[in-house]
Amino acid sequence: MAPPMSASRFLDALQDEGVTVVQVGDWRHHNRNHKGPWGPVHGVMIHHTVTKGSQRTVELCRDGYEDLPGPLCHGVITKDGRVHLVGYGRANHAGLGDDDVLRAVIAERALPPDNEANTDGNRHFYGFECENLGDGQDPWPAAQLDAIEKVAAAICRHHGWTERSVIGHLEWQPGKVDPRGFTMTSMRNRIKDRLA
């Protein structure tokens, strides 16, 4: 069982891993903690945004929608590889997912199919939204993929986790397809190599 790291330690961990960080407003205190607990944390979840344009994407992930208030993640990874910190604490990114998947993440073993939505993921995962249309055609620049690898590795390194603690939204919640355009297996292999 891992308590979330402090916001300051989170920032340090990302920067120590070589991540280019942009701090957006009072990100350290922007959260949904009044709606439920944040932690214990068990992993990192990767998403795509279905948006175009970095500034608009960052604003949307910080502020959210009328029906889904922000923050929608902890960090937004834009096409240029910068990581924009928009919130810290409970964030509206994971939603309800499969308890069997959570158990597999905690045990760091192969993931079962996600066929239920019965467990609060916002409590248990660090979340990163990645600027991409999610249509399978929008490219993933090398700088952006490198940043995804680095943020995930930074968090895993801090908590003593392996690459198996990093999942995509599509592996957590039935019906989700993100991230689309690269495989989570390939990304976990990159994270494994970085941690080694």
Side-chain angles (χ1 to χ4, degrees):
M1 180 161 20
M5 60 183 110
S6 70
S8 294
R9 183 66 195 98
F10 177 68
L11 176 61
D12 288 346
L14 297 182
Q15 292 177 328
D16 289 349
E17 201 68 40
V19 175
T20 301
V21 174
V22 179
Q23 299 182 61
V24 181
D26 187 20
W27 67 272
R28 296 168 188 263
H29 302 104
H30 183 50
N31 57 56
R32 303 288 295 161
N33 290 359
H34 63 288
K35 290 294 186 181
W38 162 232
V41 288
H42 299 298
V44 180
M45 191 173 294
I46 306 299
H47 307 259
H48 66 228
T49 57
V50 196
T51 59
K52 187 173 185 178
S54 296
Q55 182 177 341
R56 177 177 170 269
T57 298
V58 171
E59 289 171 357
L60 182 65
C61 290
R62 185 186 190 286
D63 299 336
Y65 306 85
E66 184 176 340
D67 294 337
L68 189 67
L72 304 183
C73 57
H74 300 105
V76 182
I77 304 176
T78 49
K79 295 263 188 191
D80 59 7
R82 294 188 299 165
V83 179
H84 304 255
L85 301 183
V86 296
Y88 201 69
R90 186 180 176 90
N92 276 334
H93 73 97
L96 293 176
D98 194 311
D99 59 341
D100 293 328
V101 173
L102 181 62
R103 281 191 285 275
V105 170
I106 292 169
E108 296 194 313
R109 56 180 163 76
L111 298 176
D114 55 327
N115 56 17
E116 295 179 289
N118 58 11
T119 301
D120 175 12
N122 295 333
R123 175 180 185 175
H124 296 301
F125 289 93
Y126 296 92
F128 292 90
E129 287 281 358
C130 306
E131 178 193 354
N132 191 278
L133 291 173
D135 58 4
Q137 305 299 315
D138 193 14
W140 290 89
Q144 190 176 30
L145 293 172
D146 288 346
I148 296 168
E149 173 191 323
K150 287 176 182 176
V151 297
I155 294 169
C156 289
R157 199 180 302 283
H158 172 85
H159 287 293
W161 297 336
T162 73
E163 77 283 353
R164 287 188 177 269
S165 291
V166 183
I167 66 172
H169 199 194
L170 77 170
E171 296 171 308
W172 170 247
Q173 190 177 78
K176 296 297 182 180
V177 299
D178 54 317
R180 190 170 178 201
F182 66 89
T183 68
M184 285 307 301
T185 297
S186 68
M187 182 54 66
R188 280 190 286 267
N189 286 337
R190 291 176 62 144
I191 295 162
K192 180 179 181 180
D193 290 345
R194 174 168 284 275
L195 291 172

